[in-house]
Amino acid sequence: MKITDIEGIILRLPVVRAIGDGCQSVLLIRVHTDEGLVGIGEAHTNPLVSKAILDAPLCSVSAEGLRSLLIGEDPRDIGRLWDKMYKHSATYGRRGALMHAMSGVDIALWDLLGKIAGLPIHRLLGGPRRDAVRAYASDLSQPDLGDTIALARRHCEAGFRAMKFGWGGLGQNPRADARAVAAIRAEIGDAMDLMIDIGVPMPLDDALYLGRAFADSGVYFLEEPLSPDDVAGFARLVAQSPTPIATGEKETTQYPYLDLMDRGGLRIIQPDVARVGGISETLRIVHHAEARGARVIPHCWSTDILVAATLHVLAVQRDAPYLEFNATDNPLRTDLLVEPMRVVDGFVRVPDGPGLGITLNDDTIARYRWTG
Ligand SMILES: [Mg+2]
C-alpha cells in the first residue's frame, strides 16, 4: 500500500472572534492511498500555517514539506515515517507549527492502520483499559459572573460530574477570581469537580494567592497561571500551592514535558494529541509520566477528530482521570461527525470501530470549507 496524497482542508466559522477558543478555524487532514482507504487527522493550530507545512515543496534535505516527503511511502510504517518527517524538517521544525502538522498526519496514519487491520486504534496500542472516560465540561469564563454560573448550571443538568472554566475575564484580578470561583462552587455543590484555567501568565505571587484561595473551593487543578516558559516559576508554585497545578497544552514533542515534570515538579500535564506530535508522541509522554507517577489529562479543545484520537490514548493509559470535553455551542465541534461524540451520565464512550472509529459529515465540511 502506498500514500498517494495528503490533503489539508481548512474549516472556518463565518465569524472568528479573538477569544480563547481554538475551534473556530481548524485543519482537517486526509491521507489518501492507492487502495482507496483514507486516513483522517486534525492539526490543532493556525490551519493556514500548518497547511503550508504540508504543501511546501522540497527546499533542502532538512527543510521539506510533509506531503512530498510521504507520497509513495507505505502508510503502515508509522514510526519510520514519524522519524522521516522530523528529520527532513529539522531546520524549520522540531517544535511548534511543524509538530502540529505532523500530529495531524500521525493521527491520520493511525486511523489508516486501524482501517487496514479492521481494529480500533486502542486495540493496536495494546488494548483498552476502559471503554468510557469521565468527561469534564470545558467552557469559557464569561465577563458577567451570572452568565458563568448559568453555564455551570447547564453543565450540571447535562449530566457532567466535573467542569472547567477558563480564560475570559480570569487572571485580571486575583481577589475577584477567588470570589467568582467560590460563587461557582456554591452553585454546583461539593460533589462536582471544578477546574480553573487562567490561560494567560500572571505574576507568580498572584498565582500563589489563587493556589491558596482556590483550595478553600476544592479546586481540582489550577491550569496555566504562568508562562509556559517559566519552568522555575512552576517549580516554586507547585511546591507552595495547596491546589494542584496543571499545564502543558502549548508544548510540542516529549522533551518539554520531561522538563516540566523533572525541573518544574508538575504532577498534572496536559499534552494536546493534535499538537505534540500525534498519538505516537503522546504515548511517549504518557510513558514518561507513568514512570514518574504524574497524571496526564490531555488538552482537548477542538473537533471530534481530536476527541476521538484523545479517547484512544486515554483508553490505554494506566491512569486516565478525565477527558476534556468542549461544552460550547460550535458546529465545528458538534456537527463534524455523522455520529457526534456525546456525554452520557458524565462519560464519553471510546469509539470501537476501525481506526479512529468516526465518519465525517460531508455536509458540515462543505458548509464551513474555507478556500481563502
Ligand atoms: Mg487551557
Side-chain angles (χ1 to χ4, degrees):
M1 183 177 284
K2 298 265 185 281
I3 294 172
T4 53
D5 197 10
I6 298 182
E7 185 187 14
I9 298 168
I10 297 174
L11 305 179
R12 186 175 170 91
L13 295 178
V15 177
V16 172
R17 294 184 293 150
I19 57 173
D21 180 0
C23 192
Q24 303 179 87
S25 179
V26 301
L27 184 68
L28 161 65
I29 291 174
R30 281 172 162 153
V31 175
H32 297 267
T33 65
D34 58 354
E35 296 187 19
L37 284 174
V38 179
I40 299 164
E42 174 184 8
H44 189 34
T45 183
N46 184 310
L48 194 57
V49 174
S50 259
K51 184 171 165 51
I53 289 170
L54 294 179
D55 296 341
L58 175 67
C59 172
S60 78
V61 70
S62 61
E64 186 166 358
L66 304 186
R67 181 173 177 272
S68 63
L69 269 174
L70 296 192
I71 285 180
E73 288 282 6
D74 187 329
R76 295 170 294 186
D77 296 350
I78 299 176
R80 184 177 63 79
L81 298 187
W82 199 101
D83 292 349
K84 185 179 185 184
M85 291 189 281
Y86 189 70
K87 178 181 174 187
H88 291 277
S89 60
T91 53
Y92 75 97
R94 293 176 41 249
R95 301 288 188 278
L98 179 278
M99 202 49 61
H100 303 163
M102 264 182 66
S103 301
V105 173
D106 179 87
I107 293 168
L109 293 178
W110 278 105
D111 183 44
L112 260 176
L113 187 63
K115 286 169 173 166
I116 293 165
L119 294 170
I121 290 171
H122 58 72
R123 184 61 66 192
L124 305 174
L125 303 179
R129 289 183 163 92
R130 57 197 61 81
D131 58 12
V133 181
R134 187 184 293 257
Y136 72 79
S138 192
D139 210 335
L140 297 176
S141 166
Q142 301 300 306
D144 184 290
L145 176 59
D147 292 337
T148 305
I149 287 176
L151 289 171
R153 210 175 295 129
R154 195 172 104 181
H155 300 324
C156 290
E157 289 163 4
F160 285 103
R161 299 172 196 178
M163 65 184 76
K164 181 174 89 182
F165 289 101
W167 300 60
L170 289 168
Q172 312 299 319
N173 180 333
R175 276 165 290 286
D177 290 347
R179 284 195 298 274
V181 169
I184 296 168
R185 170 59 76 196
E187 175 66 29
I188 64 179
D190 281 341
M192 189 79 63
D193 276 339
L194 174 64
M195 299 83 158
I196 299 296
D197 179 5
I198 299 298
V200 290
M202 64 192 331
L204 176 61
D205 286 341
D206 288 354
L208 269 169
Y209 173 89
L210 288 186
R212 291 178 181 125
F214 286 174
D216 294 336
S217 297
V219 167
Y220 187 90
F221 63 63
L222 165 59
E223 177 175 331
E224 224 184 1
L226 302 176
S227 161
D229 296 320
D230 187 8
V231 179
F234 272 110
R236 293 177 62 187
L237 180 60
V238 169
Q240 295 182 54
S241 170
T243 300
I245 305 298
T247 196
E249 69 178 64
K250 297 187 177 78
E251 306 300 345
T252 52
T253 75
Q254 62 190 298
Y255 305 108
Y257 297 93
L258 295 174
D259 210 25
L260 284 171
M261 291 186 286
D262 293 345
R263 198 157 61 88
L266 266 296
R267 309 297 299 156
I268 302 173
I269 54 171
Q270 302 172 296
D272 184 317
V273 179
R275 281 181 183 159
V276 290
I279 290 170
S280 300
E281 192 74 352
T282 306
L283 286 175
R284 292 189 268 269
I285 294 164
V286 166
H287 296 155
H288 291 312
E290 286 177 349
R292 289 162 174 78
R295 313 195 86 176
V296 178
I297 304 180
H299 179 257
C300 182
W301 177 285
S302 195
T303 78
D304 275 351
I305 301 171
L306 176 58
V307 176
T310 303
L311 280 166
H312 285 286
V313 172
L314 283 165
V316 302
Q317 289 181 204
R318 288 194 172 113
D319 169 54
Y322 275 112
L323 167 73
E324 177 173 21
F325 194 86
N326 178 348
T328 63
D329 291 321
N330 176 344
L332 293 180
R333 217 295 299 156
T334 57
D335 300 343
L336 189 58
L337 301 189
V338 172
E339 290 182 56
M341 299 291 172
R342 293 194 196 290
V343 177
V344 178
D345 295 332
F347 285 77
V348 180
R349 287 195 65 78
V350 178
D352 57 6
L356 287 169
I358 59 174
T359 306
L360 296 174
N361 183 331
D362 291 332
D363 292 340
T364 303
I365 291 173
R367 184 163 176 198
Y368 294 101
R369 190 164 187 155
W370 185 80
T371 51

